[in-house]
Amino acid sequence: MLGVRYENMRSSLKAEFRETLSNVLLSFKDKTYPELLDFAESQEIRTFFDKTSSGSAYQIEIQAFLDDSKSRNIRVTGDISPDPHPPLWGFIPLYLDTASDDFIMTPEGKFVNE
């Protein structure tokens, strides 16, 4: 029974994390193609730390890169995970994201597959 409650809590936390990540990615979708191109060319990874509305601490990492050098499409990816990261199996210092999402913008400012 405890395992079921833990899984339910975990799935609701994942849903909350997905929604939080989606909201952060929306702010990047509002950027122009030249702004995203500058971000991609900087090879910067932007990291955000905050808490969800329920108080769960998280870390989000956003990065952008040329998805296709010929078409010059830019892919923006985001990953969210608990902060601090719990070690894999409780002791291995390997960390996995809880949720990830991305979008692709063309040089014309259109979104691919949306």
Side-chain angles (χ1 to χ4, degrees), residues 17-51:
F17 276 10
R18 286 185 194 284
E19 182 180 345
T20 302
L21 176 60
S22 179
N23 290 336
V24 170
L25 279 176
L26 278 175
S27 69
F28 282 84
K29 281 186 168 184
D30 288 340
K31 297 189 181 302
T32 64
Y33 179 86
E35 289 173 318
L36 290 178
L37 183 60
D38 287 344
F39 178 38
E41 289 175 342
S42 75
Q43 298 183 351
E44 174 187 0
I45 297 175
R46 295 197 185 155
T47 306
F48 306 90
F49 296 91
D50 207 346
K51 290 188 178 188

Short mmCIF file of all heavy atoms in Angstrom, two decimals, residues 17-51:
data_model
loop_
_atom_site.label_atom_id
_atom_site.label_comp_id
_atom_site.label_asym_id
_atom_site.label_seq_id
_atom_site.Cartn_x
_atom_site.Cartn_y
_atom_site.Cartn_z
N PHE A 17 5.81 19.04 -12.35
CA PHE A 17 7.08 19.40 -12.97
C PHE A 17 6.90 19.64 -14.46
O PHE A 17 7.46 20.59 -15.02
CB PHE A 17 8.12 18.32 -12.73
CG PHE A 17 8.84 18.43 -11.40
CD1 PHE A 17 8.45 19.30 -10.42
CD2 PHE A 17 9.94 17.63 -11.15
CE1 PHE A 17 9.12 19.40 -9.21
CE2 PHE A 17 10.63 17.72 -9.95
CZ PHE A 17 10.22 18.60 -8.98
N ARG A 18 6.13 18.78 -15.14
CA ARG A 18 5.90 18.96 -16.59
C ARG A 18 5.23 20.31 -16.86
O ARG A 18 5.58 21.01 -17.80
CB ARG A 18 5.06 17.83 -17.14
CG ARG A 18 5.78 16.53 -17.28
CD ARG A 18 4.90 15.48 -17.96
NE ARG A 18 5.44 14.16 -17.82
CZ ARG A 18 6.47 13.69 -18.51
NH1 ARG A 18 7.05 14.44 -19.40
NH2 ARG A 18 6.91 12.47 -18.31
N GLU A 19 4.24 20.65 -16.05
CA GLU A 19 3.54 21.92 -16.23
C GLU A 19 4.49 23.10 -15.99
O GLU A 19 4.48 24.08 -16.74
CB GLU A 19 2.35 22.00 -15.27
CG GLU A 19 1.56 23.28 -15.42
CD GLU A 19 0.38 23.36 -14.46
OE1 GLU A 19 0.00 22.33 -13.89
OE2 GLU A 19 -0.15 24.46 -14.31
N THR A 20 5.33 22.99 -14.97
CA THR A 20 6.29 24.05 -14.67
C THR A 20 7.28 24.23 -15.82
O THR A 20 7.55 25.35 -16.26
CB THR A 20 7.04 23.73 -13.36
OG1 THR A 20 6.08 23.59 -12.30
CG2 THR A 20 8.05 24.79 -13.01
N LEU A 21 7.80 23.11 -16.34
CA LEU A 21 8.74 23.16 -17.46
C LEU A 21 8.07 23.76 -18.69
O LEU A 21 8.65 24.61 -19.38
CB LEU A 21 9.28 21.77 -17.78
CG LEU A 21 10.19 21.66 -18.99
CD1 LEU A 21 11.43 22.54 -18.83
CD2 LEU A 21 10.59 20.21 -19.22
N SER A 22 6.84 23.37 -18.95
CA SER A 22 6.10 23.89 -20.09
C SER A 22 5.97 25.42 -20.01
O SER A 22 6.14 26.12 -21.01
CB SER A 22 4.72 23.23 -20.15
OG SER A 22 3.98 23.74 -21.23
N ASN A 23 5.69 25.92 -18.82
CA ASN A 23 5.56 27.37 -18.64
C ASN A 23 6.88 28.10 -18.89
O ASN A 23 6.89 29.18 -19.48
CB ASN A 23 5.03 27.69 -17.24
CG ASN A 23 3.59 27.29 -17.07
OD1 ASN A 23 2.84 27.19 -18.03
ND2 ASN A 23 3.20 27.02 -15.83
N VAL A 24 7.99 27.50 -18.45
CA VAL A 24 9.30 28.13 -18.70
C VAL A 24 9.60 28.11 -20.19
O VAL A 24 10.07 29.11 -20.75
CB VAL A 24 10.40 27.43 -17.88
CG1 VAL A 24 11.78 27.91 -18.30
CG2 VAL A 24 10.19 27.66 -16.39
N LEU A 25 9.33 26.99 -20.87
CA LEU A 25 9.59 26.91 -22.31
C LEU A 25 8.74 27.90 -23.10
O LEU A 25 9.17 28.41 -24.13
CB LEU A 25 9.38 25.49 -22.84
CG LEU A 25 10.54 24.54 -22.61
CD1 LEU A 25 10.18 23.13 -23.09
CD2 LEU A 25 11.80 25.01 -23.31
N LEU A 26 7.53 28.19 -22.61
CA LEU A 26 6.69 29.19 -23.29
C LEU A 26 7.37 30.54 -23.35
O LEU A 26 7.25 31.26 -24.35
CB LEU A 26 5.33 29.31 -22.58
CG LEU A 26 4.29 28.28 -22.92
CD1 LEU A 26 3.04 28.46 -22.07
CD2 LEU A 26 3.94 28.32 -24.40
N SER A 27 8.11 30.89 -22.30
CA SER A 27 8.81 32.18 -22.32
C SER A 27 9.89 32.20 -23.39
O SER A 27 10.20 33.25 -23.96
CB SER A 27 9.39 32.50 -20.94
OG SER A 27 10.45 31.63 -20.62
N PHE A 28 10.48 31.04 -23.71
CA PHE A 28 11.48 30.98 -24.78
C PHE A 28 10.80 30.97 -26.15
O PHE A 28 11.37 31.46 -27.11
CB PHE A 28 12.37 29.75 -24.60
CG PHE A 28 13.43 29.95 -23.54
CD1 PHE A 28 13.13 29.73 -22.20
CD2 PHE A 28 14.69 30.40 -23.86
CE1 PHE A 28 14.07 29.94 -21.22
CE2 PHE A 28 15.65 30.61 -22.89
CZ PHE A 28 15.34 30.38 -21.56
N LYS A 29 9.59 30.45 -26.24
CA LYS A 29 8.85 30.48 -27.50
C LYS A 29 8.48 31.91 -27.88
O LYS A 29 8.24 32.20 -29.05
CB LYS A 29 7.58 29.63 -27.41
CG LYS A 29 7.85 28.16 -27.55
CD LYS A 29 6.53 27.40 -27.60
CE LYS A 29 6.76 25.99 -28.02
NZ LYS A 29 5.50 25.24 -28.17
N ASP A 30 8.42 32.79 -26.91
CA ASP A 30 8.10 34.20 -27.18
C ASP A 30 9.29 34.95 -27.77
O ASP A 30 9.13 36.07 -28.24
CB ASP A 30 7.65 34.91 -25.90
CG ASP A 30 6.27 34.47 -25.46
OD1 ASP A 30 5.51 33.93 -26.29
OD2 ASP A 30 5.95 34.66 -24.27
N LYS A 31 10.46 34.36 -27.74
CA LYS A 31 11.66 35.03 -28.26
C LYS A 31 11.68 34.96 -29.78
O LYS A 31 11.09 34.08 -30.39
CB LYS A 31 12.92 34.40 -27.67
CG LYS A 31 13.00 34.56 -26.16
CD LYS A 31 14.33 34.13 -25.63
CE LYS A 31 14.41 34.27 -24.13
NZ LYS A 31 14.18 35.59 -23.62
N THR A 32 12.37 35.91 -30.38
CA THR A 32 12.50 35.93 -31.84
C THR A 32 13.57 34.93 -32.27
O THR A 32 14.40 34.49 -31.46
CB THR A 32 12.91 37.33 -32.33
OG1 THR A 32 14.21 37.63 -31.82
CG2 THR A 32 11.91 38.38 -31.88
N TYR A 33 13.57 34.61 -33.56
CA TYR A 33 14.59 33.71 -34.09
C TYR A 33 16.00 34.26 -33.84
O TYR A 33 16.87 33.53 -33.37
CB TYR A 33 14.36 33.45 -35.58
CG TYR A 33 15.42 32.54 -36.17
CD1 TYR A 33 15.28 31.16 -36.09
CD2 TYR A 33 16.57 33.06 -36.77
CE1 TYR A 33 16.26 30.32 -36.61
CE2 TYR A 33 17.54 32.23 -37.29
CZ TYR A 33 17.39 30.86 -37.20
OH TYR A 33 18.35 30.03 -37.70
N PRO A 34 16.27 35.56 -34.11
CA PRO A 34 17.62 36.08 -33.83
C PRO A 34 18.02 35.96 -32.35
O PRO A 34 19.18 35.67 -32.05
CB PRO A 34 17.54 37.55 -34.26
CG PRO A 34 16.47 37.58 -35.29
CD PRO A 34 15.46 36.57 -34.82
N GLU A 35 17.07 36.13 -31.44
CA GLU A 35 17.38 35.97 -30.01
C GLU A 35 17.75 34.52 -29.70
O GLU A 35 18.72 34.26 -28.98
CB GLU A 35 16.19 36.40 -29.15
CG GLU A 35 15.94 37.89 -29.13
CD GLU A 35 14.66 38.26 -28.41
OE1 GLU A 35 13.62 37.56 -28.58
OE2 GLU A 35 14.69 39.26 -27.68
N LEU A 36 16.99 33.59 -30.26
CA LEU A 36 17.30 32.17 -30.02
C LEU A 36 18.60 31.77 -30.70
O LEU A 36 19.34 30.94 -30.17
CB LEU A 36 16.15 31.29 -30.49
CG LEU A 36 14.87 31.36 -29.65
CD1 LEU A 36 13.79 30.46 -30.25
CD2 LEU A 36 15.14 31.00 -28.20
N LEU A 37 18.89 32.36 -31.86
CA LEU A 37 20.15 32.07 -32.54
C LEU A 37 21.34 32.54 -31.70
O LEU A 37 22.33 31.81 -31.54
CB LEU A 37 20.18 32.72 -33.93
CG LEU A 37 21.41 32.43 -34.77
CD1 LEU A 37 21.57 30.93 -35.02
CD2 LEU A 37 21.34 33.19 -36.09
N ASP A 38 21.23 33.72 -31.12
CA ASP A 38 22.28 34.21 -30.22
C ASP A 38 22.47 33.26 -29.04
O ASP A 38 23.59 32.95 -28.64
CB ASP A 38 21.97 35.61 -29.69
CG ASP A 38 22.13 36.69 -30.75
OD1 ASP A 38 22.77 36.42 -31.79
OD2 ASP A 38 21.61 37.81 -30.53
N PHE A 39 21.36 32.80 -28.47
CA PHE A 39 21.41 31.87 -27.34
C PHE A 39 22.08 30.56 -27.77
O PHE A 39 22.94 30.04 -27.07
CB PHE A 39 19.99 31.64 -26.82
CG PHE A 39 19.87 30.67 -25.68
CD1 PHE A 39 20.83 30.60 -24.67
CD2 PHE A 39 18.79 29.82 -25.60
CE1 PHE A 39 20.70 29.70 -23.62
CE2 PHE A 39 18.65 28.93 -24.54
CZ PHE A 39 19.61 28.87 -23.56
N ALA A 40 21.71 30.05 -28.93
CA ALA A 40 22.30 28.79 -29.43
C ALA A 40 23.79 28.95 -29.68
O ALA A 40 24.60 28.08 -29.30
CB ALA A 40 21.59 28.34 -30.70
N GLU A 41 24.17 30.05 -30.29
CA GLU A 41 25.59 30.26 -30.61
C GLU A 41 26.44 30.49 -29.36
O GLU A 41 27.64 30.22 -29.37
CB GLU A 41 25.74 31.41 -31.61
CG GLU A 41 25.24 31.03 -32.99
CD GLU A 41 25.25 32.18 -33.99
OE1 GLU A 41 25.32 33.36 -33.56
OE2 GLU A 41 25.18 31.89 -35.19
N SER A 42 25.83 30.95 -28.29
CA SER A 42 26.57 31.17 -27.04
C SER A 42 26.92 29.84 -26.35
O SER A 42 27.80 29.82 -25.49
CB SER A 42 25.75 32.03 -26.07
OG SER A 42 24.71 31.28 -25.49
N GLN A 43 26.22 28.77 -26.73
CA GLN A 43 26.39 27.44 -26.11
C GLN A 43 26.17 27.48 -24.60
O GLN A 43 26.68 26.64 -23.87
CB GLN A 43 27.74 26.84 -26.47
CG GLN A 43 27.92 26.62 -27.93
CD GLN A 43 29.24 25.95 -28.27
OE1 GLN A 43 30.11 25.78 -27.43
NE2 GLN A 43 29.38 25.56 -29.51
N GLU A 44 25.42 28.46 -24.15
CA GLU A 44 25.11 28.62 -22.74
C GLU A 44 24.00 27.65 -22.34
O GLU A 44 23.11 27.34 -23.13
CB GLU A 44 24.64 30.06 -22.51
CG GLU A 44 24.16 30.35 -21.12
CD GLU A 44 23.55 31.76 -21.00
OE1 GLU A 44 23.51 32.50 -22.00
OE2 GLU A 44 23.11 32.08 -19.90
N ILE A 45 24.06 27.17 -21.11
CA ILE A 45 22.97 26.41 -20.52
C ILE A 45 22.40 27.28 -19.41
O ILE A 45 23.11 27.64 -18.47
CB ILE A 45 23.45 25.06 -19.96
CG1 ILE A 45 23.99 24.18 -21.08
CG2 ILE A 45 22.30 24.36 -19.22
CD1 ILE A 45 24.60 22.88 -20.60
N ARG A 46 21.15 27.65 -19.55
CA ARG A 46 20.51 28.49 -18.52
C ARG A 46 19.87 27.59 -17.48
O ARG A 46 19.11 26.69 -17.82
CB ARG A 46 19.48 29.42 -19.15
CG ARG A 46 20.16 30.41 -20.08
CD ARG A 46 19.31 31.57 -20.42
NE ARG A 46 20.03 32.38 -21.39
CZ ARG A 46 19.46 33.19 -22.26
NH1 ARG A 46 18.16 33.33 -22.26
NH2 ARG A 46 20.19 33.87 -23.10
N THR A 47 20.18 27.87 -16.24
CA THR A 47 19.69 27.05 -15.13
C THR A 47 18.83 27.90 -14.22
O THR A 47 19.21 29.02 -13.87
CB THR A 47 20.87 26.45 -14.35
OG1 THR A 47 21.72 25.74 -15.27
CG2 THR A 47 20.39 25.49 -13.28
N PHE A 48 17.68 27.37 -13.86
CA PHE A 48 16.74 28.04 -12.97
C PHE A 48 16.47 27.14 -11.77
O PHE A 48 16.28 25.94 -11.93
CB PHE A 48 15.40 28.30 -13.68
CG PHE A 48 15.53 29.04 -14.97
CD1 PHE A 48 15.68 28.36 -16.17
CD2 PHE A 48 15.49 30.42 -15.00
CE1 PHE A 48 15.80 29.04 -17.37
CE2 PHE A 48 15.60 31.11 -16.19
CZ PHE A 48 15.76 30.43 -17.38
N PHE A 49 16.45 27.73 -10.59
CA PHE A 49 16.09 27.02 -9.37
C PHE A 49 14.89 27.73 -8.77
O PHE A 49 14.86 28.95 -8.69
CB PHE A 49 17.23 27.07 -8.34
CG PHE A 49 18.48 26.36 -8.81
CD1 PHE A 49 19.47 27.07 -9.49
CD2 PHE A 49 18.67 25.02 -8.55
CE1 PHE A 49 20.62 26.43 -9.91
CE2 PHE A 49 19.83 24.37 -8.96
CZ PHE A 49 20.80 25.08 -9.65
N ASP A 50 13.89 26.96 -8.37
CA ASP A 50 12.70 27.57 -7.77
C ASP A 50 11.90 26.46 -7.08
O ASP A 50 12.37 25.34 -6.94
CB ASP A 50 11.86 28.26 -8.83
CG ASP A 50 11.01 29.41 -8.28
OD1 ASP A 50 10.86 29.51 -7.04
OD2 ASP A 50 10.49 30.19 -9.08
N LYS A 51 10.67 26.80 -6.68
CA LYS A 51 9.76 25.82 -6.09
C LYS A 51 8.45 25.86 -6.85
O LYS A 51 8.02 26.91 -7.31
CB LYS A 51 9.52 26.14 -4.61
CG LYS A 51 10.74 25.89 -3.76
CD LYS A 51 10.42 26.02 -2.30
CE LYS A 51 11.70 25.70 -1.53
NZ LYS A 51 11.47 25.62 -0.11
#
